[in-house]
Amino acid sequence: MLKTNICGVEFQNPLMLAAGIMGSNASSMNWILKSGAGGVVSKSFSLNPHPGYVNPTTVAVDGGIINAIGLSNPGVENFKEELGRIERENNVVIASIYGATPDEFSALVSEVQGLVDMIELNISCPHAMDGYGASIGQSCDLSHTIVSASKDVAEVPIIAKLTPNVTDITEIAKTCEDAGADCLSLINTLGPGMKINIDVAKPVLSNKFGGMSGRAIKPIAISNVYSVYEAVDIPLIGVGGVYTYEDVVEFIFAGARAVQIGTAIMDEGVEVFSRINHDLERFMADKGYSSIDEMVGIAHD
C-alpha cells in the first residue's frame, strides 16, 4: 500500500531521510533505514574535504531550527567508503553532492553513481560559500548548466533540490526539467535567518546567518510543491516540516510522490518514521486509498 515509484526506483514507503541529518556515515543511515525509512539521502559532500563553519552551527527558534553547518564533509573518497557500507537490499540510497562548477558536479556523479540509486544535486543551500548552493539555484542559467553537466554522465536518476529563496520557483523548476533533471526535491531551508543572543548582543551562529527548517516552513513548502506540480511533468519530492502523517498527506495531495524528513528526527527521534508509516497506512485504509499513486496531486482536481 505504501510503495511509491520515482523515476523507476521503487521505495517501500514514501518516507526518506533528508540531506544534512544523520547522513554522515553508514551506521546512522542504516539505523534510519531499519527504523522505517524507505530511503536515505546522504549529507551533501564535495570532491575535496571541507571543514565548514565553526560552532555554534545550529540554534533552536520558535517553529524549528536555524543552521549554518557550512557543508562540512570529508570529501568524496571518504564518503564512498560510507556509501559502500549502506545496506541497500529493498532500500533506496541517494547521494547528495555539491560543487561550484559543472566539472565538479559531473566528476562527483561519475565517482559515486555505482554506489547509489539516485543522486541529488544540492544547488539550494542558503548558507553555503559564495559560488555554491543557492547562488547556483537562484539562477536559471547556472541551474541549467549544472543539471545538464550532471545528466551528461549520469547512469542513475538525477534529482535537483530547489531553494525557496527565489522570485518564482516554477521558473527554476522548468529550467531544471529542461536541462534533463529526472526529479525535483523541494524545498531546501528557508532564509537566511538569524537569532541574536541578547545577553552578549551578538548573533548566536558563528556564520551569523543560517537556513530555517522545521514546522514553520511547511506551509511554504506545500505551496511551492503545489505550484511546481502544475509547472513540470517530472516527479516531485516534498521537504520541509514533516512531523506527522497529515503532513505527508498534504505534500502528496499537493503533488509529491515522497517526502524527506529532517528536523523532526532531532525533535522526536528515529521512531518518527515507523509512527508516520503506521498512521499513514491507517489513514489510507480509512479513506479507501489502495496506493500512493491514487493520492498524488489530487488537491489539483
Side-chain angles (χ1 to χ4, degrees):
M1 177 182 284
L2 296 182
K3 289 182 179 180
T4 188
N5 190 291
I6 302 175
C7 307
V9 178
E10 186 170 86
F11 293 74
Q12 295 302 305
N13 64 69
L15 312 183
M16 61 183 85
L17 174 72
I21 303 290
M22 294 185 68
S24 298
N25 57 68
S27 60
S28 61
M29 286 186 275
N30 283 331
W31 185 20
I32 293 292
L33 290 167
K34 290 175 181 176
S35 298
V40 290
V41 184
S42 75
K43 190 180 189 308
S44 297
F45 58 89
S46 53
L47 282 175
N48 300 310
H50 182 71
Y53 301 128
V54 300
N55 286 323
T57 56
T58 303
V59 59
V61 295
D62 290 342
I65 63 170
I66 299 175
N67 87 86
I69 308 297
L71 296 174
S72 60
N73 75 96
V76 65
E77 287 304 320
N78 288 304
F79 229 104
K80 283 166 64 177
E81 295 182 15
E82 298 299 329
L83 293 173
R85 297 191 186 105
I86 299 175
E87 298 169 9
R88 294 178 62 184
E89 186 176 359
N90 294 322
N91 299 316
V92 177
V93 179
I94 303 171
S96 174
I97 63 172
Y98 79 92
T101 68
D103 287 345
E104 288 181 16
F105 274 94
S106 59
L108 282 162
V109 170
S110 297
E111 283 283 341
V112 303
Q113 61 184 342
L115 298 168
V116 298
D117 301 291
M118 309 174 85
I119 294 175
E120 184 176 85
L121 310 180
N122 183 348
I123 54 172
S124 48
C125 177
H127 54 80
M129 309 71 70
D130 287 344
Y132 296 83
S135 61
I136 296 172
Q138 290 168 336
S139 162
C140 283
D141 289 343
L142 290 175
S143 296
H144 193 286
T145 300
I146 294 301
V147 172
S148 179
S150 301
K151 279 294 295 179
D152 282 346
V153 298
E155 297 174 359
V156 297
I158 294 294
I159 307 165
K161 188 169 186 179
L162 307 186
T163 173
N165 305 315
V166 291
T167 303
D168 184 356
I169 196 169
T170 64
E171 290 303 310
I172 301 294
K174 288 187 286 188
T175 294
C176 290
E177 180 183 39
D178 181 68
D182 300 288
C183 177
L184 303 174
S185 59
L186 60 156
I187 55 176
N188 207 319
T189 51
L190 189 67
M194 177 185 286
K195 182 176 176 64
I196 292 176
N197 183 328
I198 62 173
D199 291 323
V200 296
K202 292 184 180 297
V204 173
L205 300 179
S206 65
N207 187 56
K208 299 181 181 177
F209 305 96
M212 174 80 176
S213 65
R215 284 188 171 96
I217 77 165
K218 191 194 79 174
I220 296 169
I222 295 290
S223 173
N224 284 339
V225 168
Y226 189 96
S227 296
V228 169
Y229 180 78
E230 295 190 341
V232 302
D233 294 321
I234 55 179
L236 308 180
I237 299 169
V239 195
V242 176
Y243 277 71
T244 67
Y245 81 91
E246 293 99 333
D247 299 329
V248 177
V249 172
E250 275 196 79
F251 272 109
I252 294 172
F253 283 175
R257 291 193 164 273
V259 301
Q260 295 177 2
I261 299 175
T263 305
I265 301 169
M266 300 174 65
D267 292 338
E268 302 189 2
V270 297
E271 294 79 14
V272 67
F273 291 99
S274 59
R275 174 174 55 78
I276 291 177
N277 278 328
H278 174 269
D279 293 345
L280 178 61
E281 193 164 24
R282 185 175 59 186
F283 169 85
M284 292 173 65
D286 289 345
K287 296 294 185 180
Y289 297 115
S290 60
S291 69
I292 297 296
D293 279 348
E294 294 176 16
M295 301 165 61
V296 175
I298 66 171
H300 298 260
D301 295 339

